[in-house]
Amino acid sequence: MALPAFAARALGPPLQPEQGAPARTTCPRRHSRVEAELAVSRPGSVAASVRVGPPRGVSHGFNSQPLLDEPLKASSSLAGAVHAPLFALLPRGRRRRMRDLRRRWDLGSLCRALLTRGLAALGHSLKHVLSAIFSKIFGPLASVGNMDEKSNKLLLALVMLFLFAVIVLQYVCPGTECQLLRLQAFSSPVPDPYRSEDESSARFVPRYNFSRGDLLRKVDFDIKGDDLIVFLHIQKTGGTTFGRHLVRNIQLEQPCECRVGQKKCTCHRPGKRETWLFSRFSTGWSCGLHADWTELTSCVPAVVDGKRDARMRPSRNFHYITILRDPVSRYLSEWRHVQRGATWKASLHVCDGRPPTSEELPSCYTGDDWSGCPLKEFMDCPYNLANNRQVRMLSDLTLVGCYNLSVMPEKQRNKVLLESAKSNLKHMAFFGLTEFQRKTQYLFEKTFNMNFISPFTQYNTTRASSVEINEEIQKRIEGLNFLDMELYSYAKDLFLQRYQFMRQKEHQEARRKRQEQRKFLKGRFLQTHFQSQSQGQSQSQNPSQNQSQNPNPNANPNLIQNLTQSLSQNSSQKENRASPKQNPGQEQPESNTSNGTHDYIGSVEKWR
């Protein structure tokens, strides 16, 4: 890199290499200085014409020469150094390395200069913008007099006040439950996590009349006892996802043990080597692949207590649960699954102690599977079990002669199957809908008093939703699944009514607790008020004694005794209300519960 002219003159006269002396290659800085000196000393050289100024990479200010001259000066100095006599004496490798070094040094200087000037220009522009904003805001104040200093102080004070308010708000209300954050003037309303998940109208108009016992589903399930949850898994209803929630996503005293690479998990009761869940992911397909209601009701008791004597079997309660889905979406999802090679050949279809014959249940395909079948062929098979699958799997098939279609007329058979499926669904401990994942989670938690760790996720995009069908095909699918359509409408109405009933009951319970809390606080206030009055009366009756001694809180033992009795009675009554368990479908009336405050006020009036 060539030095300016003033630096070359300061170094003294040019140095000439001695004749016969070998070229020195151990001091590149000395060589660079000598080369620059020779380049400057030559008359008419380009390096001598470089103006004196600060080194490259240092900002020259905004009024200096444009930065585009820097690469020119760098290349000129390099050219002068290359043509120097001493530079030619160096080895070829050293000369190549020196050229690369100078090229990199010039590029780095250029980048640093560009960065420096860019930051300076950005700061200058930002300063002008801020000054314009402040002049617009504090213009009226500045017109009164020289208010620059005062306006800056005022702005700083406002900023500090805002930051202090934010810190205080976060300290007082760290969560989202703060009432200040719910003000409509400062924030948008928080959406209900249980809002309509299928993007339909939020208002629900019931179609069926259900009793209070049908709507109130609260099971006294004791995981440490002998009761058992039985999951009836219908194909393509989201049962696999829900089954994984049961074994991996529930807060339990003894969680299920799930090992990597194994589908089944070990779900034992606390302190026992006995399962509390009968499902695909806990016990496997113990009663057959996708066993229906008819198979499970006759198989589960024998599987669970088969090794015990009938007299030693405990009196268990079997709580059946299931998941339903929109019939058209479920039908298309099953068709896509069959296209990929699914057959469910391992299903037993046991009814009345025997599986169906090939004449009672013919097959729709002749090969190993039905992979690649078109939708029209899938719908044309009259023996396809996908038609009205949900009604068939939830009904009691023994009422219609199992799979023997000649027992009764088709119309009567369909009516019996539909009524049986509705009755079994209504009396189940719990059922959910695939289209309402969050509501399904809520109702399960309220029914079994078991909480999930993470919330359910609503998937609106599935394989069935990706199938584009016209209106004619949709109507045909609905016709093939007319029983499922009727059952799903019934189930959806019952499901949403149960959800609304449980939400209202929860709100009423929260309101009752707030009322009890207010009454309790009112009683505490009256207690402190009458204590202060009694102390004042005792001080007025004995002035000389009160001047020499501190006020005695036990000046009136009758009042303190009455207050203590009322408070103890209030606490004992609260414990008695919290200890007994309510039976399902029954609630204790609020008129029978006393909060103790009226007794306390009566005792005070009696004492007065």
Side-chain angles (χ1 to χ4, degrees):
M1 178 177 180
L3 296 176
F6 71 94
R9 287 194 298 269
L11 292 175
L15 298 177
Q16 300 292 338
E18 299 180 0
Q19 296 182 358
R24 298 185 58 181
T25 59
T26 59
C27 186
R29 290 189 177 180
R30 182 182 180 90
H31 291 166
S32 300
R33 186 181 64 181
V34 172
E35 293 161 11
E37 184 180 345
L38 292 175
V40 172
S41 62
R42 293 174 57 189
S45 62
V46 182
S49 63
V50 179
R51 65 180 180 86
V52 179
R56 288 185 298 273
V58 181
S59 176
H60 296 268
F62 290 101
N63 299 324
S64 59
Q65 189 178 357
L67 193 63
L68 297 176
D69 296 341
E70 296 289 344
L72 178 62
K73 288 186 284 185
S75 61
S76 301
S77 62
L78 183 63
V82 168
H83 292 289
L86 192 59
F87 186 79
L89 299 177
L90 297 176
R92 182 178 300 176
R94 179 62 60 86
R95 280 182 291 176
R96 186 182 299 108
R97 286 193 295 271
M98 290 183 67
R99 288 195 191 97
D100 296 340
L101 180 62
R102 289 190 178 90
R103 190 178 295 110
R104 288 195 299 268
W105 178 261
D106 294 337
L107 183 60
S109 302
L110 177 62
C111 293
R112 285 194 295 272
L114 286 174
L115 181 61
T116 303
R117 292 193 178 185
L119 292 177
L122 181 62
H124 191 68
S125 302
L126 185 61
K127 179 180 179 182
H128 281 292
V129 171
L130 292 178
S131 62
I133 294 175
F134 291 156
S135 63
K136 291 291 184 180
I137 296 176
F138 300 101
L141 296 177
S143 61
V144 178
N146 189 10
M147 300 292 292
D148 292 337
E149 184 178 358
K150 292 184 177 180
S151 62
N152 292 335
K153 292 182 178 179
L154 178 61
L155 178 62
L156 181 61
L158 292 176
V159 171
M160 295 299 293
L161 181 62
F162 175 74
L163 293 177
F164 179 74
V166 170
I167 294 174
V168 170
L169 182 64
Q170 292 295 327
Y171 178 77
V172 176
C173 307
T176 57
E177 297 297 330
C178 181
Q179 297 295 332
L180 296 176
L181 299 179
R182 297 184 180 179
L183 296 178
Q184 299 293 334
F186 296 96
S187 62
S188 59
V190 179
D192 187 6
Y194 304 106
R195 63 183 174 83
S196 183
E197 298 170 90
D198 57 351
E199 303 301 329
S200 61
S201 177
R203 295 183 176 272
F204 168 67
V205 180
R207 296 175 50 191
Y208 299 89
N209 295 324
F210 295 103
S211 64
R212 180 184 177 86
D214 297 333
L215 299 180
L216 181 61
R217 309 303 295 173
K218 194 167 184 180
V219 178
D220 188 12
F221 178 72
D222 185 11
I223 195 173
K224 299 180 180 180
D226 297 321
D227 296 348
L228 191 69
I229 295 179
V230 183
F231 180 38
L232 196 159
H233 186 178
I234 304 175
Q235 288 94 319
K236 313 312 296 179
T237 58
T240 301
T241 302
F242 185 77
R244 290 197 180 101
H245 281 302
L246 292 177
V247 297
R248 299 176 183 269
N249 195 26
I250 291 187
Q251 296 178 359
L252 298 174
E253 179 182 350
Q254 182 176 342
C256 298
E257 298 180 2
C258 301
R259 298 181 180 180
V260 180
Q262 295 183 0
K263 293 184 178 181
K264 292 195 303 182
C265 302
T266 303
C267 300
H268 286 165
R269 306 179 191 272
K272 297 181 180 179
R273 298 189 59 84
E274 181 181 338
T275 184
W276 57 269
L277 176 64
F278 192 94
S279 70
R280 167 189 178 183
F281 293 105
S282 59
T283 58
W285 303 111
S286 302
C287 292
L289 181 62
H290 289 284
D292 54 20
W293 172 272
T294 307
E295 294 177 284
L296 289 178
T297 52
S298 60
C299 172
V300 172
V303 170
V304 175
D305 299 322
K307 298 180 181 180
R308 298 183 182 181
D309 188 11
R311 294 173 296 179
M312 300 297 295
R313 294 179 182 179
S315 58
R316 300 179 185 273
N317 293 322
F318 297 97
H319 304 290
Y320 287 87
I321 62 175
T322 190
I323 300 292
L324 298 182
R325 188 180 181 182
D326 175 70
V328 177
S329 300
R330 198 213 64 80
Y331 189 84
L332 292 174
S333 180
E334 182 170 346
W335 165 64
R336 294 293 300 271
H337 198 56
V338 169
Q339 264 194 333
R340 297 190 298 269
T343 59
W344 297 298
K345 288 183 177 180
S347 298
L348 302 178
H349 302 295
V350 176
C351 178
D352 204 5
R354 66 175 183 86
T357 62
S358 58
E359 290 79 11
E360 293 176 345
L361 191 61
S363 178
C364 291
Y365 54 91
T366 57
D368 295 335
D369 53 30
W370 208 5
S371 59
C373 71
L375 180 59
K376 185 178 182 305
E377 182 182 350
F378 189 78
M379 294 187 297
D380 290 341
C381 180
Y383 312 107
N384 195 349
L385 292 179
N387 302 336
N388 297 315
R389 181 181 289 276
Q390 298 182 96
V391 170
R392 179 181 56 82
M393 294 189 66
L394 289 175
S395 61
D396 188 0
L397 296 179
T398 59
L399 301 176
V400 294
C402 297
Y403 294 92
N404 188 1
L405 303 180
S406 61
V407 174
M408 62 179 64
E410 182 180 1
K411 187 175 181 180
Q412 183 182 357
R413 175 187 176 88
N414 293 336
K415 182 179 179 180
V416 173
L417 288 177
L418 182 60
E419 293 300 326
S420 176
K422 287 182 178 180
S423 177
N424 293 335
L425 187 70
K426 183 176 66 175
H427 293 92
M428 271 186 174
F430 163 80
F431 74 90
L433 299 181
T434 308
E435 289 75 17
F436 301 93
Q437 291 290 323
R438 295 297 300 275
K439 294 182 178 66
T440 298
Q441 176 184 358
Y442 175 81
L443 288 179
F444 183 88
E445 291 177 347
K446 295 300 179 181
T447 302
F448 290 96
N449 196 20
M450 302 170 70
N451 297 324
F452 289 97
I453 300 174
S454 58
F456 289 8
T457 304
Q458 183 69 44
Y459 296 103
N460 295 322
T461 303
T462 58
R463 291 188 177 94
S465 62
S466 62
V467 179
E468 296 182 0
I469 57 175
N470 52 30
E471 186 177 358
E472 181 181 358
I473 295 179
Q474 182 173 356
K475 288 184 178 179
R476 186 178 179 187
I477 295 176
E478 292 176 356
L480 292 173
N481 298 272
F482 68 99
L483 295 179
D484 278 5
M485 296 293 295
E486 181 67 24
L487 177 65
Y488 184 78
S489 177
Y490 176 86
K492 184 177 180 180
D493 193 278
L494 177 58
F495 177 84
L496 294 179
Q497 286 196 44
R498 282 180 178 178
Y499 169 75
Q500 286 189 351
F501 180 80
M502 296 299 293
R503 292 281 283 184
Q504 292 176 1
K505 188 172 180 297
E506 183 180 13
H507 294 332
Q508 292 174 0
E509 186 70 17
R511 190 183 302 113
R512 186 183 62 81
K513 289 182 180 180
R514 289 195 299 267
Q515 292 176 357
E516 288 185 356
Q517 186 177 9
R518 285 195 294 266
K519 291 177 182 179
F520 177 74
L521 293 177
K522 183 178 179 181
R524 293 291 298 273
F525 172 76
L526 292 175
Q527 175 186 1
T528 54
H529 176 69
F530 286 119
Q531 280 183 355
S532 61
Q533 283 188 352
S534 62
Q535 291 176 1
Q537 291 176 1
S538 62
Q539 289 178 1
S540 61
Q541 292 176 1
N542 301 323
S544 60
Q545 184 178 0
N546 292 333
Q547 291 179 359
S548 60
Q549 297 179 358
N550 293 329
N552 187 8
N554 298 324
N556 203 327
N558 294 328
L559 174 64
I560 303 302
Q561 184 178 2
N562 292 333
L563 294 176
T564 306
Q565 292 178 357
S566 62
L567 289 176
S568 61
Q569 183 180 4
N570 186 14
S571 60
S572 62
Q573 289 176 354
K574 286 186 177 181
E575 292 177 357
N576 293 332
R577 288 200 308 270
S579 60
K581 295 183 179 178
Q582 298 180 358
N583 296 326
Q586 297 181 359
E587 284 186 316
Q588 296 180 359
E590 295 182 6
S591 60
N592 296 334
T593 59
S594 61
N595 49 37
T597 307
H598 299 290
D599 299 338
Y600 164 73
I601 296 176
S603 62
V604 172
E605 293 294 333
K606 181 179 179 181
W607 171 80
R608 294 183 62 183

